[in-house]
């Protein structure tokens, strides 16, 4: 088991190093002048040179790369050209918002998946409806869902907000300790913050959650249907238990393993998909930060966000691999 | 962060939330309760929010935009590209905040915006007058080398520090030390004197008749509290501090700043001018890059106005909304086409002139900028020079350019670039693609970010053959347009930042240098007009239109005032509800 974990972690680190290499050299060999863009049209060549020197951009490329890697070991992602502050500071500001949105998206995905998986697995009359919902729902891209949600729930029904993380009318929202406004509001004794933050994340979180929910729900349904054919389920039926009790007490628990594995993989994908939703809902997370940084050629910011999202994705996948190996020793083979 | 408070209050006591659904949970079979518990918690929270009026939003999308009695103004930036530090900031959206927080020695005169139902656009016809700001008066020496300013008394910075000549001197020094984009405006300053607290003397190393325009520019030097600079100077001249705070003398001060997310400005009770009394005590500035989201927020009353970035379709939709007023704001924004002289088909001056005549500018204006631009006929932004001078007004005739292309034996495949930062540049490029294809060229339209465009003057490899971009000058002096857009990029000079395609016209550059140094205003005007005519005939820069901003505000909003040379901005301190 130890060697398996070491191999997985080593592979994850290798992926991250390769990623930094590709990102770094692609940016450096591209036809851009981020320093001139950062200073503006009127900046004199001398001013551009001085700023480039200050940022270390006039050093040899390989030297710059190893300095960058060395900085990463101290969580130093460099200085944002746009914000003029360390990228790590910006990430500390934006990442909790992404984490909170993703966490709720996962929760919503699990709840929806459970409903769809269990509802679609039984032999009751409504099961077909659940199965019919899953196929078309899986085809709706999140950005379309976001547009639909904004038009229906904000523009027409006026039920849910369509932008931001909290209303500006909420005075002094807490800034810690978790970075999750829904939790920090409770800790600080400000339930209005929790409620307002929860309402703000409903639409974006549901938009992110839908497709993963379908994927997890389908796996769960298949797994339940297989389990329902097994001997212990037949025995439970023979004992005279109602079909609902058989499903929930004897089949469901034995069927959630594959679905949870899928949930782990979907969580990684959620971090990738969150970028589009954050832009559409003006959600101040790392995806939104990334979207503002790209047009400015703010490489340290772009690389910082990419690395953090990539590391999160790789770490989640590695964790899923390890957990699967713990649950099923055959996987190590 | 968004503001929903206004609407929440309006709908207290309404019952359209989730009460029915919440009650329905008692009918859910017990075995399903655990499955649905999380969803119901969410629904209950929402029901709670709706009933106590502390969250969410509601109400109908009525014709009336709420907020007329509030003393809080909500506006948005489409981008937050640079810190709101006057010695660093050199972009568009933030001008409204810079102008509200900071003041310089002089300023451009403010002009009211008048609402007309048809949103008629009239470009500026003359140069905007420069008037006193923190300097109550000034004199210029006959040789144009010494400027003496008499400063106002009773002015204080937001931290209470009194404003005087030493404070102004410190900012001149800081601007040079920070050495950001706008630092070039003080490049000719050889020294400053402060003979007494109310007198500030600037000595130039050479005459520069654009200097007063530099001082009036939104990017010009502003007064920053010396106490702030001393306390927070660190090793970056207080740049980090001024990213999220301010140190100005203006009618507003920054009370909250989260870079890239939001800024909050509050009115400054110690403002020196008793005639300026801001109605809005708080101005929330949100960063909302998506203009569609801004439109929705405006219609719901979450935003008080939209200042820029609107598409023609959006403007037309607002024109039919009686609760909103659309204002055409005259600016110096000038969409133009850059021609790459290194491209074989455009290497000849005659072909470039024929190309200029082949651009159907009227169709571009009518189709892309209806009601918010007019066809340009001078190579400088509108009003910078008298009508009839520095003309670039060829009669539309695509046949000559078509003949040129037909006779050309080399590659006819070209790249027509556009600046991705401005949503109006792509449709202009698309329209031109059709015209150029009709002339026999194979045109590929390609977008470029600013960082890529800025790389071309020093590394022209991969530069487009034509480029559509919309820009405005730093100030209203014609030199500030020509020197950045047309002057030859030089490794030692201070110009050419927007001469993306590296076109060089030494004759025009020479005339421009002579014009800048002229101390006689009429001679300076004659020389700069000659420079413009030379640049126009060289054919590398084809000005298409004079374009304005479009501001949309609720019909109850009044006091819309702006300064022509400052884009994306109105004067915050003058805004108020009607009556």
């Amino acid at each position: 088991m130890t060697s398996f974990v070491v191999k997985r972690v080593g592979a994850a680190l290798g992926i991250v190093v390769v990623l930094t290499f590709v990102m770094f050299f692609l940016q450096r060999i591209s036809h851009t002048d981020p320093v001139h863009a950062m200073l503006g049209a009127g900046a004199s060549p001398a001013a551009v040179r001085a700023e480039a020197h200050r940022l270390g951009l006039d050093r040899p490329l390989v030297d710059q790369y190893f300095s960058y890697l060395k900085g990463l070991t101290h969580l130093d992602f460099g200085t944002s050209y746009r914000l003029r502050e360390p990228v790590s500071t910006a990430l500390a500001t934006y990442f909790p918002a992404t984490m909170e949105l993703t966490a709720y998206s996962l929760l919503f995905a699990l709840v929806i998946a459970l409903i769809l998986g269990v509802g679609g697995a039984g032999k009751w009359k409504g099961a077909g409806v659940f199965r019919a919902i899953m196929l078309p729902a899986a085809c709706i891209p999140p950005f379309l869902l976001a547009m639909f949600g904004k038009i229906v729930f904000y523009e027409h029904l006026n039920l849910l907000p369509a932008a931001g993380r909290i209303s500006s009318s909420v005075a002094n929202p807490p800034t810690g300790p978790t970075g999750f406004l829904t939790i920090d509001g409770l800790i600080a004794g400000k339930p209005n913050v929790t409620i307002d933050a929860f309402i703000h994340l409903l639409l974006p979180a549901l938009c992110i959650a839908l497709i993963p929910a379908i994927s997890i729900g389908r796996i769960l349904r298949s797994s339940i249907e297989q389990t329902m054919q097994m001997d212990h389920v037949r025995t439970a039926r023979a004992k005279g238990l109602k079909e609902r009790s058989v499903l929930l007490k004897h089949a469901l628990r034995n069927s959630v393993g594959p679905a949870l594995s899928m949930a782990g993989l979907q969580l990684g994908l959620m971090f990738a998909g969150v970028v589009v939703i954050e832009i559409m809902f003006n959600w101040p997370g790392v995806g939104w930060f990334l979207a503002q940084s790209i047009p400015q050629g703010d490489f340290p910011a772009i690389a910082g966000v990419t690395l953090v999202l990539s590391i999160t994705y790789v770490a989640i996948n590695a964790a899923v691999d390890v957990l699967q190996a713990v649950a099923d020793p055959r996987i190590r083979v | 962060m968004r503001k929903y408070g206004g609407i929440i209050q309006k709908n207290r006591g309404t019952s359209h939330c989730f009460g029915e659904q919440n009650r329905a949970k008692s009918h859910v079979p017990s075995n399903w309760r655990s499955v649905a518990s999380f969803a119901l918690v969410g629904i209950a929270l929402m029901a709670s929010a709706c009933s106590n009026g502390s969250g969410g939003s509601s109400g109908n999308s009525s014709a009336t935009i709420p907020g007329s009695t509030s003393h809080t103004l909500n506006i948005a930036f489409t981008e937050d590209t640079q810190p709101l530090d006057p010695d660093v900031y050199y972009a568009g959206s933030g001008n409204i905040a810079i102008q509200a927080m900071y003041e310089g020695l002089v300023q451009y005169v403010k002009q009211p915006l008048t609402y007309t139902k048809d949103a008629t656009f009239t470009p500026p016809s003359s140069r905007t007058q420069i008037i006193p700001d923190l300097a109550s008066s000034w004199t210029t020496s006959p040789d144009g080398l010494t400027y003496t300013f008499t400063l106002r008394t009773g002015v204080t910075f937001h931290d209470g520090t009194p404003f005087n000549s030493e404070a102004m001197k410190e900012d001149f020094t800081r601007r040079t030390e920070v050495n950001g984009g706008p630092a070039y405006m003080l490049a000719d300053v050889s020294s400053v004197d402060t003979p007494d607290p109310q007198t500030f003397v600037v000595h130039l190393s050479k005459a520069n008749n654009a200097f007063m325009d530099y001082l009036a520019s939104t990017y010009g030097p502003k007064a920053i509290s010396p106490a702030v600079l001393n306390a927070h100077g660190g090793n970056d001249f207080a740049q980090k501090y001024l990213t999220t705070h301010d140190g100005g003398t203006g009618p507003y001060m920054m009370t909250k700043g989260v870079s890239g997310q939001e800024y909050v400005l509050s009115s400054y009770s110690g403002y020196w001018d008793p005639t300026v009394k801001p109605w809005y005590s708080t101005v929330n500035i949100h960063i909302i890059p998506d203009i569609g989201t801004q439109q929705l927020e405006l219609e719901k009353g979450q935003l008080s106005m939209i200042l820029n970035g609107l598409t023609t379709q959006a403007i037309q939709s607002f024109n039919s909304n009686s609760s909103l007023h659309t204002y055409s704001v005259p600016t110096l924004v000038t969409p133009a086409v850059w021609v790459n002289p290194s491209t074989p088909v455009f290497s000849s001056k005659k072909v470039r002139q024929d190309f200029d005549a082949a651009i159907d500018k009227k169709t571009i204006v009518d189709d892309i900028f209806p009601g918010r631009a007019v066809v340009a006929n001078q190579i400088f932004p509108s009003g910078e020079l008298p009508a009839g001078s520095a003309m670039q007004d060829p009669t539309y005739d695509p046949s000559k350019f078509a003949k040129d292309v037909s006779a050309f034996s080399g590659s006819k495949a070209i790249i027509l670039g556009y600046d991705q930062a401005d949503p109006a540049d792509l449709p202009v490029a698309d329209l031109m693609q059709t015209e150029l294809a009709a002339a026999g060229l194979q045109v590929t339209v390609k977008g470029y970010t600013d960082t890529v465009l800025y790389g071309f003057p020093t590394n022209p490899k991969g530069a487009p053959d034509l480029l559509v971009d919309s820009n405005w000058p730093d100030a209203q002096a014609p030199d500030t347009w020509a020197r950045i857009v047309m002057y030859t990029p030089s490794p030692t000079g201070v110009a050419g930042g927007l001469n993306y395609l590296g076109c060089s016209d030494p004759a025009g550059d020479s005339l421009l240098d002579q014009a800048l140094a002229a101390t006689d205003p009429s001679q300076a005007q004659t020389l700069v007009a000659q420079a413009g005519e030379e640049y126009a005939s060289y054919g590398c820069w084809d000005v298409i239109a004079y374009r304005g901003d479009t501001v949309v505000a609720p019909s109850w909003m009044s006091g819309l005032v702006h300064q022509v040379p400052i884009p994306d901005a109105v004067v915050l301190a003058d805004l108020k509800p009607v009556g």
Side-chain angles (χ1 to χ4, degrees), chain B residues 148-367:
Chain B
T148 304
F149 298 90
T150 302
L151 307 185
R152 291 186 192 279
T153 54
V155 177
T156 56
F157 292 99
H158 298 153
D159 61 355
T161 305
F163 167 74
N164 56 31
S165 57
E166 282 297 330
M168 207 63 226
K169 181 181 179 181
E170 276 208 42
D171 185 60
F172 269 51
T173 306
R174 179 183 188 259
R175 173 162 287 233
T176 306
E177 289 170 335
V178 168
N179 205 14
Y184 80 91
M185 295 179 173
L186 299 186
D188 292 334
V189 174
S190 57
S191 64
V192 295
D193 292 333
T194 55
D196 63 67
Q198 290 347 113
T199 306
F200 183 63
V201 185
V202 180
H203 301 285
L204 302 187
S205 56
K206 58 184 179 183
N208 181 330
N209 55 45
F211 186 66
M212 286 305 294
D213 276 282
Y214 294 164
L215 298 185
S217 165
T218 185
Y219 311 115
K222 307 280 187 262
I224 303 175
S225 167
V228 165
L229 297 180
N230 291 335
H232 304 282
N235 57 6
D236 68 348
F237 313 106
Q239 285 187 72
K240 187 172 189 298
Y241 179 81
L242 291 177
T243 298
T244 51
H245 303 78
D246 88 287
T249 58
Y252 283 94
M253 54 189 183
M254 190 189 294
T255 46
K256 184 179 181 185
V258 183
S259 298
Q261 284 193 28
E262 65 163 340
Y263 300 94
V264 178
L265 310 185
S266 300
S267 56
Y268 173 48
S269 58
Y271 187 58
W272 57 270
D273 186 348
T275 64
V276 176
K277 292 176 180 166
W279 165 269
Y280 291 105
S281 54
T282 303
V283 179
N284 294 314
I285 302 171
H286 310 289
I287 314 302
I288 308 180
D290 178 26
I291 197 68
T293 301
Q294 284 196 34
Q295 287 175 235
L296 273 177
E297 300 267 297
L298 177 69
E299 286 166 357
K300 295 295 177 193
Q302 319 303 345
L303 277 184
S304 308
M305 58 201 310
I306 294 181
L307 295 159
N308 57 25
L310 286 165
T311 61
T312 298
Q313 291 82 353
I315 293 166
Q316 286 167 346
S317 75
F318 284 131
N319 283 340
S320 59
N321 186 339
S322 61
S323 64
L324 294 167
H325 283 177
T326 303
Y327 297 84
S328 280
V329 186
T331 67
L332 304 181
V333 177
T334 309
V337 181
W338 277 246
V339 182
N340 193 336
S342 304
T343 301
V345 72
F346 294 118
S347 59
S348 138
K349 184 172 163 181
K350 193 241 174 212
V351 173
R352 293 198 296 269
Q353 288 171 341
D354 291 345
F355 167 72
D356 187 21
I359 302 172
D360 189 353
K361 298 175 185 176
K362 185 173 184 310
T363 300
I364 290 173
V365 167
D366 290 347
D367 287 7

Side-chain angles (χ1 to χ4, degrees), chain A residues 31 33 37-39 42 45 82 84 94 108 150 154-155 158 161 163 166-168 195 199-200 202 282 288 296, chain B residues 2-4 38 46 49 57-59 80-82 88 90 181 259-260 287 293 297 300 451 459 461 490 493:
Chain A
H31 271 291
D33 190 348
M38 169 185 169
L39 294 179
R82 182 171 63 92
R84 319 288 170 100
Y94 290 98
F108 292 167
K150 284 170 78 168
Y154 179 63
E155 189 173 357
N158 227 341
I166 194 166
S167 305
S168 52
I195 292 167
I199 289 168
H200 275 78
L202 266 178
N282 227 50
W288 192 66
Q296 303 303 315
Chain B
R2 307 263 66 76
K3 178 182 182 300
Y4 294 97
F38 183 80
M46 287 179 63
S57 61
S58 51
D80 188 26
T81 55
Q82 292 178 327
V88 174
Y90 200 23
S259 298
I287 314 302
T293 301
E297 300 267 297
K300 295 295 177 193
T451 51
N459 187 359
K461 193 178 174 189
S490 155

Side-chain angles (χ1 to χ4, degrees), chain A:
Chain A
M1 175 54 75
T2 307
S3 67
F4 176 80
V5 173
V6 169
K7 278 180 190 172
R8 280 289 180 272
V9 172
L13 283 174
I15 291 169
V16 170
V17 170
V18 169
L19 191 68
T20 60
F21 181 84
V22 171
M23 279 194 309
F24 191 88
F25 283 96
L26 274 181
Q27 195 273 340
R28 289 297 189 272
I29 62 172
S30 64
H31 271 291
T32 62
D33 190 348
V35 177
H36 199 166
M38 169 185 169
L39 294 179
S44 67
V48 174
R49 280 196 301 275
E51 189 65 21
H53 178 72
R54 195 184 68 78
L55 295 168
L57 297 176
D58 55 350
R59 290 155 53 202
L61 206 56
V62 175
D63 193 15
Q64 288 182 50
Y65 179 63
F66 282 108
S67 289
Y68 184 71
L69 278 186
K70 189 180 172 188
L72 287 183
T73 61
H74 304 93
L75 293 179
D76 176 5
F77 296 86
T79 301
S80 163
Y81 300 155
R82 182 171 63 92
L83 301 179
R84 319 288 170 100
E85 67 178 16
V87 172
S88 53
T89 305
L91 289 175
T93 303
Y94 290 98
F95 198 59
T98 298
M99 287 291 287
E100 184 174 37
L101 181 60
T102 311
Y104 277 92
S105 301
L106 180 66
L107 275 173
F108 292 167
L110 291 176
V111 171
I112 296 168
L114 198 61
I115 294 168
L116 292 174
V118 174
K123 292 186 176 175
W124 61 297
K125 289 180 181 175
V129 175
F130 284 91
R131 286 195 287 269
I133 289 171
M134 281 197 259
L135 184 62
C139 302
I140 304 173
F143 75 88
L144 198 62
L145 205 60
M147 286 171 66
F148 174 81
K150 284 170 78 168
I151 292 169
V152 172
F153 293 102
Y154 179 63
E155 189 173 357
H156 289 289
L157 297 179
N158 227 341
L159 280 172
L160 297 169
R165 200 177 172 202
I166 194 166
S167 305
S168 52
S169 58
V170 176
N172 302 318
T175 54
T178 67
F180 284 31
L181 283 175
T182 50
I183 295 174
D184 292 339
L186 293 175
I187 293 172
K190 293 182 174 179
N192 63 318
V193 171
T194 298
I195 292 167
D196 193 80
F198 183 78
I199 289 168
H200 275 78
L201 62 74
L202 266 178
L203 263 184
L206 284 170
C207 291
I208 296 170
L210 186 67
I211 290 181
I214 303 289
S215 301
I216 301 166
R218 283 167 127 173
I219 296 287
L220 181 62
R221 183 177 66 85
S222 302
S223 184
I224 290 173
E225 283 177 345
Q226 280 181 1
T227 308
M228 292 290 272
Q229 308 298 322
M230 295 177 79
D231 292 345
H232 75 279
V233 173
R234 201 177 305 133
T235 305
R237 284 187 181 127
K239 284 164 65 181
L241 289 176
K242 288 182 180 175
E243 190 67 12
R244 188 180 298 161
S245 296
V246 171
L247 175 64
L248 295 178
K249 290 183 178 171
H250 295 276
L252 184 58
R253 284 184 185 173
N254 289 304
S255 307
V256 294
L260 287 178
S261 298
M262 174 57 80
L265 294 172
Q266 290 296 328
L267 177 60
L269 292 173
M270 278 182 189
F271 275 101
V274 78
V275 174
V276 173
I277 294 300
E278 285 188 357
I279 295 167
M280 295 199 70
F281 286 97
N282 227 50
W283 187 268
V286 290
W288 192 66
F289 176 54
L290 179 69
Q292 291 190 73
S293 302
I294 288 172
Q296 303 303 315
D298 189 352
F299 169 74
I302 296 166
V305 173
T306 309
L307 274 178
V308 165
L309 290 178
S310 305
I311 290 169
T312 308
Y313 180 82
V314 169
I316 290 169
N317 276 285
V320 169
D321 285 350
V322 171
L323 288 174
Q324 281 181 325
V326 169
D328 184 355
R330 289 171 299 176
I331 287 176
R332 269 171 277 174
V333 181

Side-chain angles (χ1 to χ4, degrees), chain B residues 417-432:
Chain B
Y418 67 92
D419 184 355
Q420 290 177 341
D422 193 322
D425 290 339
L426 172 58
V428 173
D430 283 341
L431 206 58
M432 286 185 60

